[in-house]
Amino acid sequence: QVQLVESGGGLVQPGGSLRLSCAASGIIFSITAMGWYRQAPGKERELVAGITGGGSTNYADSVKGRFTISRDNAKNTVYLQMNSLKPEDTAVYYCEVVPPIPPWGQGTQVTVSS
């Protein structure tokens, strides 16, 4: 059974930083593409950043240059470093495999506000 546990969200001021973590179990993590998705109120869920088992990455245009996805295969963990946060980054952030396999987890709330 796949388990993905996100952590690291919170309230941060515009321009600030947060680092999200996702601990995975129940999958062969080292060969599984992983992604961070987000869903803001009233909007559809979107893929923010993805990383292959080999470490190739891709980003949504809205976060390029500000967010960095990484993984530690020894710890079965994927990270999302978010810098220069903007109010429009406010959303629930989810960790999932790529492509995603429902059901979605609870996610972690990120709120960017002064």
Side-chain angles (χ1 to χ4, degrees), residues 15-101:
S17 298
L18 282 175
R19 189 193 195 203
L20 306 183
S21 298
C22 172
S25 61
I27 57 175
I28 305 175
F29 184 79
S30 62
I31 61 171
T32 301
M34 300 296 298
W36 284 97
Y37 301 76
R38 70 184 180 188
Q39 187 167 23
K43 295 188 176 181
E44 294 189 354
R45 199 176 332 237
E46 62 173 342
L47 178 63
V48 174
I51 185 167
T52 67
S56 297
T57 59
N58 64 282
Y59 298 92
D61 287 343
S62 58
V63 307
K64 280 181 182 176
R66 300 188 298 121
F67 290 12
T68 302
I69 188 170
S70 62
R71 65 192 297 155
D72 185 338
N73 288 341
K75 295 182 178 180
N76 283 12
T77 301
V78 61
Y79 305 97
L80 186 68
Q81 177 67 44
M82 306 185 293
N83 299 328
S84 303
L85 282 161
K86 305 175 181 180
E88 51 263 44
D89 294 319
T90 296
V92 178
Y93 284 71
Y94 302 86
C95 167
E96 254 296 341
V97 301
V98 179
I101 303 174

